[in-house]
Amino acid sequence: MRDVHTKEKEMTYRIAIIGVTGYAGKYLETLRALIRNQRIRITAAVVINPDEAASELQFLRQIGTTVYSDYQEMLASQAANIDLCIIPTGIAWHKRMTVEALSHGLNVLVEKPIAATLQDVRDMAEAEKASSGFVAVGFQDIYQSSVQNLKQQILNGVIGKPVHIKSKCLWPRRSSYFLRNDWAGRLHNGNDLVLDSPANNAMAHFINLNLFLCGSNFASSSRVAELSAEIYRVQKIQSFDMFCFKARLASGVKLSFWGSHSNHQLIEPEIIIEGDQGTASWNSLGEVIIKGSTQSSSKVGAWDENEHDGRLAMLEAVLRRIHDPKQFVCTIDLAKEHTRLVNALHDYFPIVELDHRHLTKNQDDDDSMVEIRGLHHDLSSGFQRNKMFSELGLEWSQGTETISLHDYDHFKGRLIPCS
């Protein structure tokens, strides 16, 4: 009898994708590579903006894709011809589209974050349980071999017992970033919750990795037990664009994070895990360096050629999962702890809007960037000294209390303004 890997290699998987422009366009580009390798064919696609997607439509028609303007119509018509439905849409659409696809028995790859609220995540988990399909979540960095190797090394005790994990990221974003669609930088879009922010979008990958790397076994993420956070609004948006937090995980490990979009200078994402017998670090190039009790310094992994595009590594893993239930993917359970943390940020910590006297505005081709004076230095200092902005004594900062999240399992929306 042939094994699942032999069968998988002979398959050309039938893919449906909902959306082809914006961030979905990056998925489409990765799918093109898999088409060239005869790994997939795009059976169906949903395009709701044909005027903006002329080149994408031309490509889809050339390869024989059936194009729809409504995702429900596509799912009802094409379910029997789909092995995997990809949902790289806005946050507010993740739950409804995933649940609908699962109701047709389809496997789903949904873009991160998994959903806006814990309630949505529970609905998706129930739908998955009732379906013959599975859900994988598009936290692409978790699919890196370097991340998975690091997790296994930590579980094997290479740095002893983890004590503290911390991250920093300065990713500049100009005003156009918050104007690219109708939900960027928003807490809600009409009646739909979005909770967009760097913590729930661009930097969500790294928060998710922090929780994953501290999980008690390979297939688990750690749960936040206590949280103190500072969240700030610099841009003209509903949500926040800068934050820092300190947390205590259920395991006792301390977790700290500093992130911002409102800055001119770039600091690429970095994660440092401190153990009682050593340290390990990971950066956005996928480089891992371990300084453990049995080795002075060892570089134990980075992306290989096939992982240079994180989406390609992710899609390959999800395709393998179709015929191999043991294949690792980012499951609903792995993704939900990130949503829980983000929900708690919005439920317990008010957004502080910074006064213009602390800001500078740079203009370039009518696409402005507003930034906090000295943030590059202050954020780096906070990271090095493990101090939140208020603990550094910064004039614009506001401290907060530590909140217990022991029983927190439902987003209340207590600080969200009405639409």
Side-chain angles (χ1 to χ4, degrees):
M1 181 177 178
R2 296 178 301 173
D3 62 23
V4 293
H5 299 291
T6 301
K7 184 177 182 181
E8 187 267 339
K9 289 177 181 178
E10 295 176 357
M11 288 288 295
T12 299
Y13 292 99
R14 302 165 298 175
I15 304 298
I17 185 168
I18 302 178
V20 295
T21 57
Y23 193 75
K26 297 183 182 294
Y27 272 85
L28 186 61
E29 283 301 311
T30 306
L31 292 175
R32 287 178 187 247
L34 292 170
I35 290 171
R36 289 192 292 270
N37 295 335
Q38 298 184 329
R39 293 281 283 126
I40 66 157
R41 61 187 178 91
I42 303 177
T43 303
V46 175
V47 180
I48 62 171
N49 54 344
D51 293 341
E52 302 170 27
S55 62
E56 291 86 355
L57 278 170
Q58 181 182 15
F59 167 72
L60 291 170
R61 287 168 178 151
Q62 286 175 345
I63 62 174
T65 303
T66 304
V67 178
Y68 294 84
S69 60
D70 181 86
Y71 78 95
Q72 291 175 314
E73 181 185 357
M74 181 196 75
L75 294 172
S77 302
Q78 294 286 336
N81 302 314
I82 298 171
D83 297 309
L84 177 68
C85 181
I86 301 176
I87 304 176
T89 59
I91 297 169
W93 292 91
H94 289 184
K95 186 195 93 165
R96 70 187 75 173
M97 289 181 172
T98 297
V99 169
E100 184 79 15
L102 288 169
S103 74
H104 290 278
L106 297 182
N107 304 309
V108 174
L109 170 59
V110 61
E111 175 55 11
K112 60 82 190 136
I114 183 171
T117 69
L118 285 166
Q119 297 91 299
D120 288 345
V121 176
R122 275 197 295 273
D123 289 346
M124 295 163 81
E126 290 174 4
E128 183 186 42
K129 187 175 180 180
S131 173
S132 58
F134 66 82
V135 175
V137 185
F139 280 109
Q140 64 196 44
D141 290 326
I142 205 172
Y143 295 86
Q144 287 184 30
S145 61
S146 61
V147 167
Q148 294 177 28
N149 290 340
L150 175 57
K151 173 72 177 276
Q152 193 59 61
Q153 292 262 18
I154 293 171
L155 291 172
N156 290 344
V158 70
I159 61 170
K161 181 181 178 181
V163 175
H164 185 203
I165 183 167
K166 62 179 184 177
S167 301
K168 63 179 177 179
C169 180
L170 275 171
W171 268 353
R173 294 293 186 266
R174 295 186 175 274
S175 58
S176 57
Y177 175 81
F178 301 100
L179 299 172
R180 72 191 191 278
N181 56 44
D182 61 1
W183 56 266
R186 297 188 65 84
L187 298 172
H188 46 67
N189 185 8
N191 293 324
D192 295 318
L193 283 169
V194 178
L195 306 185
D196 185 50
S197 73
N200 207 27
N201 199 337
M203 301 176 196
H205 294 286
F206 315 116
I207 295 175
N208 184 60
L209 288 188
N210 277 252
L211 297 169
F212 171 66
L213 290 171
C214 291
S216 60
N217 58 65
F218 188 82
S220 72
S221 286
S222 191
R223 186 178 179 88
V224 175
E226 294 179 350
L227 180 66
S228 178
E230 300 173 19
I231 56 180
Y232 300 93
R233 179 189 296 124
V234 177
Q235 311 292 337
K236 293 181 179 179
I237 56 176
Q238 266 190 349
S239 189
F240 64 89
D241 50 343
M242 185 178 73
F243 67 102
C244 62
F245 64 75
K246 288 184 179 180
R248 183 180 62 81
L249 304 180
S251 62
V253 177
K254 296 178 182 178
L255 166 63
S256 309
F257 202 109
W258 294 259
S260 176
H261 283 327
S262 296
N263 43 274
H264 184 70
Q265 293 174 287
L266 171 71
I267 296 180
E268 289 287 5
E270 178 184 10
I271 298 174
I272 295 178
I273 309 103
E274 301 168 350
D276 60 7
Q277 297 179 39
T279 63
S281 65
W282 174 94
N283 64 33
S284 58
L285 295 177
E287 296 172 339
V288 174
I289 297 177
I290 291 178
K291 298 178 181 179
S293 58
T294 60
Q295 53 196 45
S296 57
S297 180
S298 175
K299 185 174 178 179
V300 298
W303 282 349
D304 60 30
E305 292 262 337
N306 293 328
E307 285 190 309
H308 188 65
D309 181 347
R311 279 178 295 278
L312 182 58
M314 174 178 67
L315 281 164
E316 288 282 11
V318 176
L319 292 177
R320 289 192 294 270
R321 170 63 181 83
I322 293 172
H323 283 107
D324 183 3
K326 295 181 180 180
Q327 169 63 43
F328 175 84
V329 296
C330 185
T331 61
I332 291 176
D333 276 348
L334 281 174
K336 73 178 181 183
E337 294 306 325
H338 163 263
T339 297
R340 184 171 177 269
L341 191 156
V342 168
N343 281 189
L345 288 177
H346 286 285
D347 261 341
Y348 295 108
F349 304 97
I351 298 172
V352 176
E353 186 164 4
L354 295 189
D355 189 274
H356 66 88
R357 61 195 174 92
H358 301 298
L359 309 176
T360 60
K361 184 176 182 180
N362 296 311
Q363 197 78 20
D364 183 18
D365 297 327
D366 298 322
D367 191 5
S368 63
M369 172 177 287
V370 181
E371 61 180 342
I372 303 167
R373 295 188 188 94
L375 181 64
H376 182 274
H377 170 270
D378 292 333
L379 187 144
S380 296
S381 177
F383 179 77
Q384 291 296 329
R385 298 165 61 190
N386 194 36
K387 292 181 177 292
M388 296 205 295
F389 297 126
S390 63
E391 294 173 319
L392 292 172
L394 302 177
E395 182 182 357
W396 47 263
S397 63
Q398 290 189 24
T400 61
E401 296 181 354
T402 298
I403 302 297
S404 171
L405 299 181
H406 178 72
D407 296 320
Y408 184 71
D409 63 357
H410 186 94
F411 181 63
K412 303 173 179 65
R414 54 193 297 271
L415 298 178
I416 303 298
C418 297
S419 57

